[in-house]
Amino acid sequence: MPYPNQHSARVAEPIPQGRATYAAKSIAPGITLIMQKPKAGGNMTAQSYRFGKHQFSVEQAKAWLKKHNIKYISFEPATSGK
């Protein structure tokens, strides 16, 4: 699901809605890490990295991921709408 103001690099499939708790953590200017934890128990794990489209182009976001050795399963550029 593309976001209007953020590029998203998914590093794990999301847990179905209602079966997980999610938390967002700013890890650098313009970068948010989305974490998920199963409600049935377990640890918080990374689900996606989101990059503000006004701070990062698609190429810059992908370069940041590569520089930090973060493997992603999909990359969704921000949508052009609001």
Side-chain angles (χ1 to χ4, degrees), residues 56-75:
F56 291 86
S57 67
V58 168
E59 295 78 18
Q60 290 170 323
K62 288 181 177 181
W64 187 94
L65 292 161
K66 183 176 181 178
K67 177 182 176 182
H68 292 87
N69 201 31
I70 297 169
K71 309 276 189 248
Y72 53 92
I73 57 176
S74 66
F75 189 94

Side-chain angles (χ1 to χ4, degrees), residues 10-13 33-36 43-49:
R10 188 176 310 279
V11 295
E13 289 299 330
L33 173 60
I34 306 300
M35 304 287 289
Q36 63 184 5
N43 297 320
M44 288 292 261
T45 58
Q47 192 269 329
S48 65
Y49 289 82

